[in-house]
Amino acid sequence: MSESKDFLRVRVEEDLESGKYQEVTTRFPPEPNGFPHIGHAKSICINFGIARDYKGHCNLRMDDTDPTKEDTKYVEALKDAVEWLGFDWEGNVRFTSDYFPKLYEYAVALIKMGKAYVDSLTEEEIREYRGTVTEAGKRSKYADRTVEENLALFERMKKGEFKDGAHVLRAKIDMSASNMKMRDPLLYRIRHVHHYRAGDTWAIYPMYDFAHCLSDYIEGVTHSICTLEFENNRDIYDWVLDTLGLTTPRPYQHEFARLGINYTVMSKRKLLELVEKGLVSGWDDPRLPTIAGYKRRGYTPESILNFCDQIGIAKANSMVDVAQLEFAIRDDLNTKVPRVMCVLDPLKVTIENYEGSEVLDAPYYPDDVPKEGSRKLPFSSTIYIERDDFMENPPKGYFRLTPEQSVRLKHAYIITCKEVIKDKEGNIIEIKAEYHPDSKSGSDTSGIKVKSAIQWVSANEAKKVEVRLYDRLFKDESPEGLEDLNPDSLKIIKDALIEPAVIVEKPDERFQFERQGYFYADPIDYSDEKPVFNKIVGLKDSWAKKKQLPRRASKSETKKVQIDGEVAPMSEVEQSLFDKYIGELNLNSEVANTLARDAKLSGFYEEALSHHHSPVGIANVVANEVARELKEKEVNEVKFNTKQIAELVKMVDDETISTKIAKQVFEEMINSGESPIKIVEAKGLIQISDPAIIGPIIDEVITKNPENVEKFKAGNSKLLGFFVGQVLKATGGKANPKVVNELVAKKLK
Ligand code: ATP
Ligand code: MG
């Protein structure tokens, strides 16, 4: 990953270096009129992230100047989102409404300077007088009121003596300014409404442009970061502060691009409509892009933070592919969660030559996940498999159970179909099968070749669970309205069957259901008696096919696109590669899937393997880093080759470099085409594993962070990651993470 800084951080650093500010203070200023969404998450990451990186502060401020739509339940949701993402606003939540008295005083000061006046034109006239982009505006006749007249009227406005719309307070700037926003902008308007916090104290409310800059100033904000649509408001921001002569620290506004994601809507107004019309179950519906929705669905805060980090901060608006967010969650869960078996659409299989029962021991994690643990898996003569995993008349390339083709039951035995039982209508209701006693997983001497392994559960011990399969809420890439809703965005399966350990042992809340996807125990509806699981994300991007359609695909064409869950069948070649990757080479199913389905990648992979036989290591680099580069380029168009990738992985394998550094080296390889060995030598990136060098660095980090040491000792074990991170950072990523982990844990004991 490149270490380059975004333009906001560059600016903050310049301002600190030049001495313009001693300390940086930012704020996250939502209006509490809806639940925060992923766009807000981005803003939270930027504001709180900058404060954290430069040891400053970030306030959480409710920008509550529009009393009609605001509510404390939104305040709570906003606090919850910030906390869930792991940030801390130090002290109290701030409210613009708390500054109303102070803001009133600033308005009076402007009136006294002759810089603001009470205008009594109608709303319509005000609009008319403003002029157009090509035509100067015209000043209201009321602009000539004396200071005394203005003060008296403004006070009476405050006291509630006038009806809504009778008067407004305006800044006296320039009715012919080329920036239309500067044509005597409104500062206050009359509104006889109840404010959820301020009650009925106020009959006038400040406008955003007046309240925001002053709230920033009152709080000592240095960098006021907002989205691009406020670019033209920056002139007012500066005018208000400068005219009032407010200095040190004087905040400045900086704009960045809003985050947009395809297949969803992001404006709070549109989200509110979905909630109010009952088209979703609430603000926390797992299909919504709200933080509450992601949380309920099972997304992890880490995945959201990684996503925000990966998309970066830009100055131009753009649309991010939701697949990138889905990738981030998959990528996070892949290394964390236990693998278990769940059958969504059960088909009974009776194994006629098996007697009694036994308990198998099955690991929760695949080999390439550095976690330990296993569960007891009951096996008996009556089991259930996925209905899809048996076909009587299979098409070519179907590698699961058929009357002619045996299959492996994952972690157990190979079975062969003996008889297909049907009901009167001809539906298959049961399979009679035989198992092969000498084919037990781990000690298979049967010599039988199978092409895949499928999930199953034992009938007696399996638990019934409800599974909620979520898909994209909109079927259109850039949805315009409710007509674009995806009618199949939620499918509820009431009678899925799951292996008992998941419910009884509860090794985790999130799981990979083998071959199905990632799932999360619903935090609200789940109980041991009635377990409910939400699908977080599938194992692969099943919408990716869409991108292969011709650019100008018509709407009817795009409708044929597959929806998650219905996995496109692999070709015969792809399937046999997949089976080899899973079986012989021990790749996890996701990586195997990515490689097997893409001839360019599998070709690249196999060739790299011939240079250095490290199947899992090379597969990971090819399925991630290399895949990214080969998305839009051919193998002969990139500067690196299979041999270099093999060399890169070899250096990781023999611990010359860490995986983190490997990523950095890869970035360099893309650009320069230089060999990884040369890059590592030239840049001195060799991994440091010597405790004598790492030890003192850890000591320094520990001395510098006494509060965190205390919190860790008090039981906040999550902070281990913080310390390890700091040490890695201090060594430019060169320290051997394994060694650092061990040493830090030892030193903090
Ligand atoms: P919406 O238009 O979705 O209702 P908003 O801009 O009105 O959002 P606010 O509550 O005013 O929402 O926003 C709080 C902060 O979050 C602001 O600083 C705003 O710039 C930022 N923000 C809101 N939406 C996005 C987005 N899509 N991408 C990045 N930042 C955003
Ligand atoms: Mg807003």
Side-chain angles (χ1 to χ4, degrees):
M1 229 120 298
S2 76
E3 294 284 303
S4 72
K5 287 193 187 69
D6 58 78
F7 71 95
L8 291 171
R9 282 178 170 78
V10 168
R11 187 60 196 262
V12 167
E13 277 181 21
E14 278 169 13
D15 289 348
L16 287 172
E17 263 159 38
S18 71
K20 182 168 169 183
Y21 304 115
Q22 302 308 311
E23 207 174 41
V24 49
T25 301
T26 55
R27 84 286 170 268
F28 169 59
E31 185 182 352
N33 61 352
F35 271 55
H37 50 61
I38 184 87
H40 292 108
K42 175 160 175 161
S43 179
I44 290 170
C45 287
I46 294 174
N47 284 295
F48 283 96
I50 288 179
R52 177 199 55 207
D53 291 355
Y54 297 97
K55 301 201 168 35
H57 309 279
C58 180
N59 296 337
L60 171 59
R61 182 202 310 152
M62 300 299 150
D63 195 8
D64 54 357
T65 54
D66 182 355
T68 51
K69 297 182 227 129
E70 294 159 2
D71 196 295
T72 39
K73 71 170 182 250
Y74 300 131
V75 174
E76 291 310 311
L78 284 155
K79 284 160 67 178
D80 193 60
V82 174
E83 269 177 344
W84 186 67
L85 289 170
F87 295 109
D88 177 6
W89 53 84
E90 304 167 45
N92 296 327
V93 174
R94 321 290 171 112
F95 293 87
T96 303
S97 54
D98 285 351
Y99 310 141
F100 284 169
K102 196 100 209 198
L103 297 177
Y104 181 81
E105 278 172 34
Y106 281 125
V108 168
L110 280 182
I111 295 174
K112 286 185 178 160
M113 295 162 101
K115 295 289 187 184
Y117 61 95
V118 173
D119 196 359
S120 311
L121 294 180
T122 63
E123 211 176 305
E124 173 91 310
E125 287 167 325
I126 289 179
R127 202 173 315 123
E128 223 168 88
Y129 277 42
R130 186 168 288 128
T132 64
V133 192
T134 49
E135 245 172 274
K138 167 168 95 173
R139 192 160 263 163
S140 162
K141 62 179 179 213
Y142 302 108
D144 293 331
R145 282 175 169 149
T146 64
V147 168
E148 287 66 34
E149 260 179 294
N150 281 320
L151 285 175
L153 278 171
F154 188 50
E155 184 166 0
R156 290 177 62 200
M157 282 166 66
K158 177 189 174 209
K159 284 187 176 152
E161 291 183 20
F162 305 112
K163 284 201 308 264
D164 284 12
H167 308 283
V168 291
L169 184 74
R170 298 181 75 168
K172 199 172 202 173
I173 307 181
D174 179 2
M175 287 306 290
S176 56
S178 59
N179 178 354
M180 298 272 291
K181 299 241 172 188
M182 294 293 273
R183 296 186 184 174
D184 291 9
L186 270 56
L187 305 181
Y188 269 91
R189 58 185 167 174
I190 302 172
R191 307 203 85 179
H192 290 273
V193 281
H194 184 83
H195 187 279
Y196 78 105
R197 275 186 103 245
D200 298 311
T201 317
W202 295 87
I204 52 172
Y205 288 94
M207 303 297 288
Y208 169 89
D209 282 321
F210 186 63
H212 204 88
C213 52
L214 288 169
S215 303
D216 283 344
Y217 176 75
I218 291 167
E219 291 179 9
V221 166
T222 54
H223 296 80
S224 179
I225 299 166
C226 63
T227 37
L228 274 179
E229 67 272 22
F230 290 98
E231 208 170 359
N232 288 332
N233 302 60
R234 197 197 314 133
D235 287 343
I236 311 180
Y237 190 104
D238 291 336
W239 184 90
V240 171
L241 296 179
D242 292 343
T243 305
L244 286 166
L246 302 175
T247 54
T248 55
R250 148 83 150 88
Y252 283 89
Q253 177 183 307
H254 307 272
E255 307 90 22
F256 72 98
R258 223 179 157 74
L259 168 66
I261 296 192
N262 60 7
Y263 294 102
T264 192
V265 293
M266 206 104 92
S267 101
K268 282 182 285 192
R269 187 178 51 75
K270 289 185 180 168
L271 294 172
L272 182 66
E273 185 184 15
L274 292 167
V275 172
E276 284 187 334
K277 291 202 167 137
L279 296 164
V280 292
S281 64
W283 281 104
D284 68 346
D285 188 295
R287 291 165 293 178
L288 289 181
T290 53
I291 301 303
Y294 289 122
K295 197 173 156 185
R296 175 114 191 230
R297 182 150 174 177
Y299 271 67
T300 55
E302 293 81 2
S303 64
I304 304 276
L305 296 173
N306 285 342
F307 169 73
C308 289
D309 200 40
Q310 282 159 12
I311 56 178
I313 305 174
K315 272 189 187 172
N317 283 321
S318 68
M319 190 61 91
V320 172
D321 193 336
V322 65
Q324 205 173 334
L325 177 64
E326 293 164 352
F327 176 85
I329 178 67
R330 232 183 257 128
D331 196 41
D332 187 37
L333 297 180
N334 181 33
T335 58
K336 284 185 181 165
V337 304
R339 272 59 167 175
V340 296
M341 296 197 282
C342 178
V343 174
L344 299 182
D345 186 8
L347 172 64
K348 186 173 169 186
V349 176
T350 306
I351 305 172
E352 293 184 299
N353 62 338
Y354 187 89
E355 263 169 48
S357 64
E358 70 185 289
V359 177
L360 306 164
D361 192 59
Y364 273 128
Y365 306 96
D367 289 347
D368 59 338
V369 171
K371 286 181 99 173
E372 303 273 319
S374 65
R375 80 281 196 185
K376 301 275 175 263
L377 195 57
F379 184 78
S380 65
S381 60
T382 311
I383 62 166
Y384 287 97
I385 65 168
E386 202 68 63
R387 192 164 291 276
D388 274 0
D389 285 340
F390 175 80
M391 273 185 108
E392 204 172 14
N393 301 298
K396 227 174 137 194
Y398 183 85
F399 287 144
R400 296 168 264 171
L401 188 65
T402 74
E404 281 77 43
Q405 184 168 266
S406 304
V407 79
R408 170 170 299 284
L409 299 174
K410 179 109 192 175
H411 301 303
Y413 301 94
I414 293 174
I415 55 168
T416 304
C417 170
K418 289 289 160 196
E419 195 187 342
V420 182
I421 316 282
K422 296 182 183 170
D423 64 11
K424 279 191 241 117
E425 279 89 50
N427 301 310
I428 300 174
I429 50 170
E430 186 184 346
I431 305 290
K432 303 257 189 221
E434 254 176 35
Y435 88 116
H436 301 272
D438 53 356
S439 68
K440 192 167 172 176
S441 232
S443 55
D444 180 4
T445 55
S446 69
I448 303 172
K449 282 239 176 278
V450 289
K451 292 179 173 162
S452 64
I454 61 173
Q455 71 270 30
W456 56 276
V457 293
S458 172
N460 261 335
E461 296 84 356
K463 307 271 181 201
K464 198 162 99 178
V465 294
E466 176 175 324
V467 174
R468 299 174 182 166
L469 302 175
Y470 295 104
D471 197 4
R472 295 178 185 172
L473 187 54
F474 290 92
K475 61 182 174 343
D476 205 88
E477 189 162 2
S478 35
E480 268 150 36
L482 303 179
E483 68 279 10
D484 292 324
L485 280 167
N486 173 6
D488 302 316
S489 62
L490 170 61
K491 196 171 141 196
I492 298 179
I493 297 177
K494 292 270 183 201
D495 305 313
L497 292 172
I498 203 160
E499 57 168 288
V502 175
I503 312 293
V504 181
E505 256 187 40
K506 285 198 191 44
D508 207 329
E509 296 166 331
R510 296 180 181 82
F511 299 89
Q512 183 188 111
F513 292 178
E514 299 262 11
R515 300 174 66 228
Q516 315 269 23
Y518 292 97
F519 291 80
Y520 180 52
D522 188 276
I524 294 178
D525 296 337
Y526 182 101
S527 69
D528 283 352
E529 295 68 46
K530 197 179 164 298
V532 178
F533 289 94
N534 297 327
K535 180 166 182 178
I536 308 169
V537 68
L539 291 176
K540 63 175 194 69
D541 181 9
S542 59
W543 286 67
K545 276 202 87 183
K546 171 162 188 177
K547 288 183 214 108
Q548 291 160 15
L549 287 174
R551 274 211 168 269
R552 292 183 164 273
S554 68
K555 267 212 164 175
S556 65
E557 253 176 307
T558 32
K559 284 223 178 81
K560 274 189 256 147
V561 164
Q562 277 216 312
I563 296 204
D564 208 2
E566 303 166 27
V567 177
M570 291 190 193
S571 72
E572 197 158 340
V573 175
E574 288 168 356
Q575 184 71 48
S576 70
L577 281 176
F578 179 79
D579 292 333
K580 174 171 103 182
Y581 293 165
I582 295 249
E584 264 170 55
L585 299 182
N586 254 326
L587 306 189
N588 79 40
S589 53
E590 195 171 346
V591 170
N593 195 358
T594 307
L595 299 180
R597 284 177 185 267
D598 186 325
K600 202 156 58 174
L601 291 183
S602 53
F604 191 99
Y605 174 56
E606 307 252 334
E607 196 179 309
L609 264 189
S610 72
H611 297 297
H612 170 58
H613 192 76
S614 177
V616 174
I618 292 186
N620 287 338
V621 175
V622 176
N624 294 297
E625 279 76 24
V626 172
R628 206 177 59 223
E629 291 306 308
L630 290 184
K631 218 177 194 173
E632 266 140 37
K633 287 185 191 148
E634 291 306 316
V635 175
N636 59 12
E637 288 169 344
V638 294
K639 290 190 177 162
F640 56 88
N641 58 36
T642 55
K643 185 145 174 270
Q644 292 171 334
I645 294 298
E647 283 169 0
L648 180 68
V649 173
K650 185 157 183 300
M651 283 192 284
V652 176
D653 287 348
D654 58 26
E655 299 196 357
T656 309
I657 57 172
S658 65
T659 45
K660 185 156 191 258
I661 291 292
K663 289 192 176 144
Q664 197 181 321
V665 173
F666 179 74
E667 295 303 320
E668 188 70 37
M669 289 162 65
I670 303 173
N671 296 325
S672 67
E674 193 58 82
S675 104
I677 300 173
K678 286 233 176 86
I679 295 172
V680 169
E681 275 170 4
K683 300 206 153 186
L685 294 173
I686 292 182
Q687 176 158 265
I688 311 169
S689 299
D690 186 353
I693 303 177
I694 296 176
I697 302 175
I698 297 181
D699 293 338
E700 204 183 317
V701 169
I702 289 181
T703 347
K704 269 198 198 150
N705 296 282
E707 313 94 67
N708 279 346
V709 172
E710 233 165 77
K711 284 189 203 160
F712 178 82
K713 291 197 168 153
N716 187 348
S717 56
K718 280 195 200 143
L719 282 170
L720 190 66
F722 162 82
F723 286 106
V724 172
Q726 291 293 310
V727 174
L728 292 179
K729 205 165 162 193
T731 59
K734 284 187 284 181
N736 182 334
K738 225 162 62 188
V739 177
V740 175
N741 238 309
E742 283 167 17
L743 281 182
V744 168
K746 218 187 277 166
K747 286 190 187 261
L748 284 175
K749 259 221 184 107

